[in-house]
């Protein structure tokens, strides 16, 4: 049960932020917080899913209760989970642009880096604190960032054609 504590506490935080924006009638922002919660559900729970078959071929080391991968783009690490990390953050990039429509590529990049670093830092901290059992992977930072940028670019393009999305 203790391994679920970080996710439960963060869920309470996201719920309170959703409630705050609901009361302030900022409905778009609620989708942003729900997206954050969804990413946390995928990354800060003690459930691990391995989508690759060559995990043993990835150069990694054990430290602070978790497996760390600090060498990016190793051949064995470019598997289905690599691409899934991009896909899972595309909606958050779309929500970022939807909420802050004046943003452009440099802010998309910063939002993507912040997303990837937050998710991986959370995994590192929770591995050390409650033995979450998740991998802390530089590839995840890169792919999460790329997903946010792709999602924001897609929403930006949609906003150009459909003014009601601004």
């Amino acid at each position: 049960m203790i391994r679920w504590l970080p996710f439960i506490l963060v869920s309470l935080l996201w719920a309170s932020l959703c409630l705050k924006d609901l009361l302030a009638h900022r409905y778009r922002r609620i989708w942003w917080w729900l997206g954050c919660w969804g990413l946390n559900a995928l990354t800060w729970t003690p459930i691990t899913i391995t989508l690759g078959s060559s995990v043993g071929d990835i150069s990694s080391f054990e430290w602070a209760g978790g497996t760390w991968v600090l060498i990016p783009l190793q051949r064995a690490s470019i598997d289905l989970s690599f691409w899934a990390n991009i896909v899972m953050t595309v909606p958050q990039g779309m929500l970022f642009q939807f909420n802050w429509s004046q943003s452009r590529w440099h802010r998309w990049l910063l939002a993507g880096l912040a997303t990837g670093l937050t998710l991986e830092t959370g995994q590192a901290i929770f591995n050390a604190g409650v033995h979450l059992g998740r991998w802390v992977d530089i590839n995840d930072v890169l792919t999460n960032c790329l997903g946010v940028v792709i999602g924001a670019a897609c929403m930006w393009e949609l906003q150009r054609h459909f003014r009601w999305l601004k």
Side-chain angles (χ1 to χ4, degrees), residues 21-110:
D21 282 333
L22 179 66
L23 295 174
H25 304 286
R26 290 189 298 253
Y27 303 115
R28 285 184 177 197
R29 194 71 49 89
I30 294 169
W31 287 108
W32 169 257
W33 298 126
L34 290 173
C36 291
W37 178 81
L39 289 174
N40 293 148
L42 291 170
T43 58
W44 290 354
T45 58
I47 300 168
T48 57
I49 300 170
T50 304
L51 299 175
S53 59
S54 305
V55 174
D57 296 336
I58 298 172
S59 178
S60 63
F61 64 96
E62 300 292 320
W63 186 68
T67 304
W68 290 66
V69 178
L70 299 180
I71 301 170
L73 305 175
Q74 297 175 56
R75 184 179 191 94
S77 66
I78 302 177
D79 56 7
L80 186 56
S81 66
F82 179 90
W83 301 106
N85 268 294
I86 295 171
V87 170
M88 82 175 193
T89 51
V90 167
Q92 199 65 10
M94 294 180 82
L95 289 168
F96 178 80
Q97 183 62 23
F98 186 59
N99 276 282
W100 296 280
S101 61
Q102 301 305 315
S103 297
R104 293 299 176 260
W105 73 268
H106 60 283
R107 290 205 177 145
W108 303 341
L109 186 61
L110 288 174

